[in-house]
C-alpha cells in the first residue's frame, strides 16, 4: 500500500476508490488487502459510484449494488441490426417465403411514420411465411455465468410490428432462453396476431419480461416473422422494426 493509505478514514478511502474504473476495482483493487476487498465487496462504494454516474434505483431493491452498477452500465440492445440499416446482416435462420424479406424506408406505401425519429427503415414480409432469427451469446456480451445464475437479471424483449392500410397480414414472435447445450429453459411465444385489411397501419409494440428463470441461461434466441393474408405478389405482409433484447438491472 502507498504510505499512509492504511490510516485513511473509510469514507475518504471509499471516495478515492470510487474515482477508479469499475473493472479495476474488481480485478485489481480487491486483491490488494483484506480491507480493500471488504470495501470493494461492500455496498457503500457502489452506491457512491451509482450516485456519481446518475444510476438510480429504489432502496428496496438494494440487494447487490455492484451487480446493479455493472448491469446499468451495460444496458444496451443486444440485437444487432434491429432496423434493417445493414440489410439482413446478423439475422440467421432466414425463411424467405413468397418473394422473401425486403427492407423499405419509413413510412412506406400505405404506411405510417414510426413513433421514434431514430428509426428510418423496417423489414417487410411477403405472401408466404417469412421468418428470421438471431441468437445472443450472453457471455460474449459480458454477462458472466455467476451473474446470470445468481442474480438472474430481468431479460426484456420488445418488438414493433405494423400492417399497411391496403392489406391484411399475420405476425408472430418467439423468444427462448437457452442453456449451454441450447436446451430451452424458458420460452415466450405470442399468439399469431392478425391485422385486418383496411387497418390504420399504426405501429404496435409487443413486449415480454423474463424473470426468475432459474440458473443455466447462456443464450437468447429471438425469432419473428409473418406474411400477408391476400397472397399478393410482392411485399404486402407484416412490417417489423426496432426489435430489442436488453438485460435489465
Amino acid at each position: 500500500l502507498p504510505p499512509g493509505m492504511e490510516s485513511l478514514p473509510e469514507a475518504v478511502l471509499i471516495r478515492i476508490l470510487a474515482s477508479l474504473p469499475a473493472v479495476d476495482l474488481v480485478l485489481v483493487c480487491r486483491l490488494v488487502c483484506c480491507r480493500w476487498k471488504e470495501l470493494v465487496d461492500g455496498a457503500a462504494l457502489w452506491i457512491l459510484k451509482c450516485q456519481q454516474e446518475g444510476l438510480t434505483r429504489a432502496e428496496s431493491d438494494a440487494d447487490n449494488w455492484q451487480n446493479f452498477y455493472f448491469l446499468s452500465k451495460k444496458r444496451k440492445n443486444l440485437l444487432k441490426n434491429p432496423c434493417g440499416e445493414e440489410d439482413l446482416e446478423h439475422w440467421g435462420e432466414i425463411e424467405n417465403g413468397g418473394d422473401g424479406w425486403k427492407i423499405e424506408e419509413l413510412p412506406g406505401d400505405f404506411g405510417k411514420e414510426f413513433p421514434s425519429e431514430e428509426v428510418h427503415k423496417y423489414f417487410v414480409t411477403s405472401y408466404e411465411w417469412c421468418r428470421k432469427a438471431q441468437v445472443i451469446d450472453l457471455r460474449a456480451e459480458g454477462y458472466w455465468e455467476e451473474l446470470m445464475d445468481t442474480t438472474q437479471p430481468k431479460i426484456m424483449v420488445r418488438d414493433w410490428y405494423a400492417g399497411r392500410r391496403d392489406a391484411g397480414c399475420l405476425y408472430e414472435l418467439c423468444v427462448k432462453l437457452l442453456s449451454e447445450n441450447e436446451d430451452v429453459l424458458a420460452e415466450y411465444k405470442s399468439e399469431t396476431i392478425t391485422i385486418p385489411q383496411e387497418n390504420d397501419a399504426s405501429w404496435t409494440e409487443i413486449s415480454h419480461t423474463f424473470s426468475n428463470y432459474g440458473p443455466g441461461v447462456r443464450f437468447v434466441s429471438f425469432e419473428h416473422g409473418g406474411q400477408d393474408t391476400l397472397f399478393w405478389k410482392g411485399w404486402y405482409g407484416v412490417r417489423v422494426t426496432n426489435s430489442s433484447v436488453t438485460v435489465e438491472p
Side-chain angles (χ1 to χ4, degrees), residues 38-235:
E38 278 173 21
L39 293 179
V40 172
D41 289 346
L45 171 60
W46 298 100
I47 291 171
L48 179 58
K49 278 192 82 64
C50 287
Q51 286 170 348
Q52 287 172 345
E53 299 184 36
L55 307 174
T56 55
R57 71 188 295 191
E59 284 297 329
S60 57
D61 299 341
D63 51 345
N64 190 324
W65 282 89
Q66 182 180 327
N67 280 355
F68 173 77
Y69 177 86
F70 278 102
L71 286 168
S72 298
K73 295 292 284 182
K74 294 179 72 63
R75 191 177 349 189
K76 61 171 184 173
N77 186 2
L78 301 177
L79 286 176
K80 297 177 171 66
N81 187 25
C83 305
E85 294 290 347
E86 302 169 75
D87 203 50
L88 281 165
E89 191 73 26
H90 304 295
W91 292 96
E93 296 177 47
I94 295 171
E95 188 179 329
N96 274 317
D99 288 322
W101 285 97
K102 188 184 181 197
I103 288 94
E104 294 180 346
E105 298 267 346
L106 278 156
D109 294 340
F110 295 92
K112 261 196 184 154
E113 285 292 357
F114 192 76
S116 161
E117 289 179 6
E118 288 152 29
V119 179
H120 305 291
K121 294 183 178 182
Y122 58 83
F123 302 91
V124 57
T125 58
S126 190
Y127 58 86
E128 284 173 358
W129 207 262
C130 295
R131 281 189 180 84
K132 61 186 177 69
Q134 227 178 100
V135 177
I136 295 160
D137 180 339
L138 291 166
R139 247 179 323 204
E141 295 291 345
Y143 299 98
W144 59 97
E145 286 94 333
E146 188 190 354
L147 177 73
M148 296 308 301
D149 295 347
T150 311
T151 305
Q152 292 175 35
K154 290 189 173 80
I155 298 174
M156 283 279 301
V157 178
R158 295 185 181 89
D159 201 15
W160 288 83
Y161 64 90
R164 42 184 287 164
R165 285 192 301 276
D166 58 344
C169 59
L170 305 175
Y171 165 82
E172 273 179 16
L173 171 66
C174 179
V175 186
K176 298 171 185 169
L177 305 187
L178 307 175
S179 72
E180 185 72 43
N181 305 320
E182 303 199 2
D183 300 319
V184 178
L185 302 180
E187 180 176 16
Y188 168 75
K189 201 171 193 319
S190 73
E191 58 187 348
T192 302
I193 295 165
T194 304
I195 300 175
Q197 198 172 0
E198 309 297 331
N199 67 86
D200 69 356
S202 60
W203 287 93
T204 301
E205 185 182 34
I206 182 171
S207 66
H208 177 75
T209 302
F210 291 98
S211 57
N212 303 319
Y213 39 76
V217 171
R218 301 293 177 262
F219 301 95
V220 181
S221 164
F222 179 103
E223 179 182 300
H224 62 178
Q227 66 173 94
D228 77 31
T229 49
L230 302 167
F231 303 99
W232 288 351
K233 184 161 176 56
W235 295 275

Side-chain angles (χ1 to χ4, degrees), residues 3-14:
M5 283 290 269
E6 67 277 5
S7 61
L8 284 174
E10 190 165 290
V12 175
L13 189 49
I14 284 174

